[in-house]
Amino acid sequence: MQANIQQGDFGTLPDGRRATLYTLMNPNGLVVKISDFGGVITEIHTPDRDGKFADINLGFDNVLPYLEDSPYFGALIGRHGNRIAKGQFVLDGKLIQLPVNNGENHLHGGPMGFHRVFWNVEPFEHGDSVGLTLSYRSVDGEQGYPGNLDVTVVYELSAANELWVRFHAVTDKDTAVNLTQHAYFNLAGKGDILGHLLTIDADAFTPVDSTLVPTGALQPVAGTPFDFRTPRAIGERIGEKDEQLEYGGGYDHNFVLNKRGKACQLAARVVEPLSGRVLEMHTEEPGVQFYSGNFLDGSLTGKGWNYYYRGGFCLEPQHFPDAPNHPNFPSTILRPGQEYATQSKFVFSVEK
């Protein structure tokens, strides 16, 4: 089997613009489908221990639901992933006001963030790897952010069953940048994700207030339901009486990754025991947002699935939420002459 790329129609927006869907296949038969609208990953097909393929990614089979209903299914997120308190931060003495779209807070770049724009797409093939180079110019003032930001995202599906996501950006004014990928996974292909075994290489997490904005503290995971340093079922402690779990309705928190001097290191591993499917997330980022699908409620249907409560999980590699308001967090400020560059990969395998 040869690696290949195909493209097809993904539907028409109300204003007449047409979306395109790109299908990437590696020599092992893994399939990843990505649209130019929002850079969304719509499908990921991987085998179980018996070689049976299933789609392990939550999404839709047409562009229209991504306009309204999608809780960021599979989307590229920017300019700033996660929450910024009250949509405000001070940059070089100037107050920057962003739109608020999550209660009183700014979430995932605003209502018209990178998840709702068309990206320019260039397919490529490198030997047994196939991929897409996506580019977009976010103009000065877009969603309240200063500066023209030129962004490039490279998706690459390798023969080693790795899906690489590489981000690059430059700006002509001081601004805030924190890009991520928001895929929802269910390694069983159906049902809930509570039996998935999760490991996160993090000794601490960033606790949040009742609006899910970090307090600024770094809390040790030891002795808490947030300790995933050894494999634990996602559902094992999700119902415990814990203020942080109550605020999130489950897990919706940034984990402070243990950096071990590796450029792109293993940060999280998930095993689905019945199918044997394994997902590993490697990243250069200092944090990962683990989200346990707490706001899914069965009202969304896509590709023949009903997306029920806790029917998918996210592992979003990122800088910390609300970083511009916390000097003790790794900075997300990008200045002219600097380059924003980071990469992560999702690795798919099976346990026999």
Side-chain angles (χ1 to χ4, degrees):
M1 187 180 298
Q2 288 188 330
N4 66 81
I5 305 174
Q6 299 178 3
Q7 66 183 73
D9 182 68
F10 196 52
T12 304
L13 273 65
D15 62 10
R17 290 180 296 170
R18 299 186 69 83
T20 300
L21 187 67
Y22 297 84
T23 299
L24 313 180
M25 179 182 289
N26 78 355
N28 308 314
L30 265 73
V31 171
V32 177
K33 298 186 180 185
I34 299 168
S35 176
D36 57 353
F37 181 79
V40 296
I41 297 173
T42 67
E43 299 180 29
I44 301 174
H45 296 257
T46 69
D48 64 11
R49 63 166 58 92
D50 298 319
K52 182 179 179 181
F53 279 78
D55 182 4
I56 62 168
N57 174 77
L58 279 60
F60 302 108
D61 52 14
N62 182 280
V63 70
L64 289 177
Y66 290 99
L67 296 177
E68 297 179 5
D69 295 336
S70 176
Y72 305 96
F73 280 158
L76 292 178
I77 300 298
R79 287 189 192 188
H80 202 287
N82 222 299
R83 293 170 177 84
I84 294 179
K86 298 181 172 56
Q88 296 179 342
F89 62 96
V90 175
L91 180 57
D92 298 329
K94 180 181 178 181
L95 179 66
I96 305 297
Q97 179 65 61
L98 310 172
V100 295
N101 59 321
N102 183 247
E104 62 183 19
N105 301 318
H106 177 82
L107 177 65
H108 290 330
M112 295 301 294
F114 290 177
H115 63 294
R116 283 192 173 160
V117 303
F118 272 97
W119 293 74
N120 295 315
V121 178
E122 293 289 338
F124 65 83
E125 297 184 27
H126 294 321
D128 287 336
S129 293
V130 292
L132 307 173
T133 300
L134 287 71
S135 58
Y136 177 71
R137 165 165 273 206
S138 176
V139 298
D140 187 14
E142 185 172 295
Q143 296 297 284
Y145 289 92
N148 295 301
L149 188 75
D150 291 306
V151 183
T152 302
V153 182
V154 176
Y155 286 116
E156 183 172 1
L157 179 62
S158 78
N161 298 342
E162 303 166 330
L163 178 62
W164 286 90
V165 187
R166 301 183 176 98
F167 293 102
H168 181 272
V170 293
T171 183
D172 59 6
K173 289 183 182 178
D174 295 347
T175 193
V177 183
N178 184 20
L179 308 180
T180 190
Q181 217 299 325
H182 206 300
Y184 283 68
F185 298 98
N186 183 321
L187 301 185
K190 60 183 179 180
D192 65 48
I193 47 83
L194 299 179
H196 288 50
L197 302 176
L198 171 65
T199 309
I200 303 178
D201 186 15
D203 292 337
F205 73 103
T206 51
V208 296
D209 64 19
S210 61
T211 71
L212 299 182
V213 170
T215 64
L218 304 182
Q219 181 175 331
V221 300
T224 78
F226 292 82
D227 190 349
F228 287 97
R229 292 175 295 178
T230 56
R232 305 291 287 265
I234 291 173
E236 181 179 340
R237 295 167 294 179
I238 201 169
E240 289 187 7
K241 186 171 178 57
D242 177 271
E243 183 179 66
Q244 287 298 306
L245 290 176
E246 291 171 3
Y247 283 160
Y251 298 104
D252 192 3
H253 295 75
N254 171 68
F255 286 71
V256 180
L257 296 175
N258 299 324
K259 303 304 286 184
R260 307 191 188 283
K262 298 178 182 178
C264 192
Q265 70 182 44
L266 178 63
R269 186 173 192 266
V270 186
V271 179
E272 202 289 299
L274 297 180
S275 67
R277 289 189 182 92
V278 179
L279 169 66
E280 292 182 345
M281 195 278 284
H282 302 240
T283 188
E284 295 179 349
E285 288 295 290
V288 60
Q289 184 85 4
F290 168 50
Y291 171 56
S292 53
N294 314 311
F295 297 110
L296 299 175
D297 60 5
S299 63
L300 300 180
T301 301
K303 302 178 299 183
W305 297 25
N306 274 102
Y307 297 129
Y308 291 111
Y309 184 51
R310 294 175 177 160
F313 68 89
C314 302
L315 291 170
E316 305 156 54
Q318 61 174 10
H319 273 52
F320 301 172
D322 201 32
N325 291 312
H326 298 284
N328 60 313
F329 285 1
S331 176
T332 55
I333 301 304
L334 182 69
R335 303 185 186 278
Q338 297 178 338
E339 290 188 36
Y340 177 98
T342 184
Q343 60 181 348
S344 303
K345 67 177 178 179
F346 299 92
V347 185
F348 307 100
S349 62
V350 293
E351 283 188 348
K352 297 298 185 180

